Amino acid sequence: MEHFILFAGTANPGLAKAIARQLNISLGECVSERFPDGEVAVRLLESVRQKSVFLIQSTSPPVNDRLVELLAFADACRRAAAARITAIIPYFGYARSDKRHGRREPIAASMVAEVLEAVGIDRVVTLDLHAPQIEGFFRIPVDSLTAVPTLCEALRDRLPPDVVVVSPDTGRVQMATQYAQKLDTSAVVLHKQRKSGTETEVTRIVGDVGDRPCLIIDDMISTGGTLARSIEALLNAGARPDITIAATHGLFIAGARAKLSHPSIQAIFVTDTIATQETDWQQLQVVSIAPLIAKAIQWFVFDGSLGDLF
Ligand code: R5P
């Protein structure tokens, strides 16, 4: 397998090392620094000529820095004659900007897709993309893996009997259905309305949560506002104060932990797509997605079908 090489950006060295361990390889040697004015400076310390290169970098906060670093690595690989560049972006920042909400607004996800292609990236691999239609912003192949089976494995023995899966908004219904099928239970849907970037409210619950423990699922936890409002609505509707949360991406923006300190929360399961600073949070369970990404890399290297992964 020496004809491919895996480089890691600075977003999440722990995940990159875990993937390399799974593949039984060493990460490619490279440096990423900042000039005093904040500009990104990267350098590859080994040849990539005619090699298949995998660049791993979540575009997590600080999103713009991580994105530019990824672009710089890709540009370096292209100029150094890499045969093929695959960007593994476990968390794809700007994905929530997938449409215009009013006039004179950008579609940032589409803009990101264009710059990724412009620097010579040949394929993108990501995980639980916020909106599947983002794939359509690219002309290159995009593979969106899912953490649902991995999280369900971790959750299976930790959930109370009779748990109901809760989608916190209509955008997550498909994901909630996948959880419910894998966990052999039913799903309910909350109707969420976004009042601002940080404020949401739940206007309706479709389904019965009376005296049921709940598993609220989501693709990401950012400020924690969506979950806090969901818990409030579920408890008001008579749900048991026995709540578990599962989300693929745990951003936990400052203040999220305080919002999620509700006594009814038993555990919060996230994957390691984003490096967490919350090491002393007892309820937080981080499940590694490294085995899945490592398998995907092996599949690409040997031209297998990703369908076999799920
Ligand atoms: C929204 O559509 C997403 O799926 C998440 O529910 C949302 O982005 C989470 O953000 P926050 O934690 O800030 O409410």
Side-chain angles (χ1 to χ4, degrees):
M1 301 216 304
E2 298 82 37
H3 56 293
F4 81 93
I5 186 161
L6 172 64
F7 290 105
T10 55
N12 192 346
L15 175 62
K17 282 183 199 147
I19 294 170
R21 263 198 308 276
Q22 292 277 330
L23 292 168
N24 210 13
I25 58 168
S26 306
L27 286 172
E29 294 276 326
C30 60
V31 283
S32 175
E33 296 168 325
R34 298 290 174 273
F35 288 118
D37 61 0
E39 287 177 358
V40 168
V42 306
R43 199 151 23 95
L44 308 175
L45 301 181
E46 42 190 295
S47 170
V48 294
R49 186 170 296 277
Q50 290 314 313
K51 286 190 181 162
S52 189
V53 175
F54 292 85
L55 297 173
I56 178 152
Q57 174 86 319
S58 274
T59 47
S60 49
V63 180
N64 301 336
D65 264 25
R66 304 299 193 211
L67 177 61
V68 173
E69 191 186 72
L70 172 62
L71 297 173
F73 270 119
D75 190 65
C77 291
R78 181 175 55 85
R79 291 176 195 280
R84 190 150 85 150
I85 306 169
T86 302
I88 300 178
I89 312 175
Y91 169 72
F92 191 100
Y94 283 114
R96 286 178 289 181
S97 175
D98 60 338
K99 57 178 127 16
R100 295 205 301 159
H101 297 279
R103 290 181 182 162
R104 297 181 294 277
E105 283 186 11
I107 300 179
S110 156
M111 179 190 81
V112 170
E114 283 182 36
V115 290
L116 292 172
E117 284 192 36
V119 292
I121 288 169
D122 298 293
R123 166 149 55 186
V124 169
V125 181
T126 184
L127 200 72
D128 288 327
L129 198 51
H130 175 70
Q133 63 270 23
I134 288 172
E135 182 182 346
F137 295 152
F138 290 87
R139 277 158 306 171
I140 55 174
V142 176
D143 291 293
S144 184
L145 309 176
T146 177
V148 173
T150 308
L151 284 167
C152 283
E153 266 322 293
L155 285 161
R156 204 174 300 282
D157 298 330
R158 300 286 305 274
L159 293 172
D162 208 22
V163 72
V164 60
V165 176
V166 178
S167 170
D169 52 39
T170 48
R172 250 8 80 193
V173 172
Q174 203 187 345
M175 186 182 241
T177 308
Q178 286 167 359
Y179 271 96
Q181 278 169 352
K182 291 213 172 292
L183 297 168
D184 205 14
T185 184
S186 54
V188 303
V189 183
L190 308 186
H191 272 263
K192 175 176 91 174
Q193 270 184 354
R194 190 164 276 286
K195 298 203 290 202
S196 71
T198 50
E199 272 297 303
T200 59
E201 75 175 334
V202 174
T203 49
R204 201 174 318 150
I205 300 180
V206 181
D208 184 18
V209 294
D211 200 31
R212 302 276 300 269
C214 297
L215 167 68
I216 312 177
I217 60 92
D218 213 339
D219 59 327
M220 67 172 87
I221 304 171
S222 181
T223 64
T226 298
L227 291 174
R229 295 284 86 79
S230 303
I231 291 168
E232 204 176 271
L234 290 168
L235 295 179
N236 285 340
R240 212 180 295 162
D242 181 349
I243 310 265
T244 306
I245 291 164
T248 304
H249 312 290
L251 280 83
F252 300 117
I253 302 304
R257 182 167 168 175
K259 284 203 184 104
L260 298 177
S261 62
H262 198 281
S264 66
I265 299 179
Q266 307 302 318
I268 302 174
F269 285 75
V270 293
T271 75
D272 53 356
T273 56
I274 296 167
T276 181
Q277 313 300 324
E278 306 281 2
T279 47
D280 61 336
W281 191 357
Q282 226 193 329
Q283 276 90 349
L284 188 64
Q285 306 287 323
V286 181
V287 182
S288 184
I289 209 66
L292 178 67
I293 295 181
K295 263 194 216 146
I297 292 176
Q298 277 172 330
W299 254 253
F300 290 132
V301 170
F302 295 115
D303 284 330
S305 161
L306 277 184
D308 300 343
L309 281 178
F310 308 113

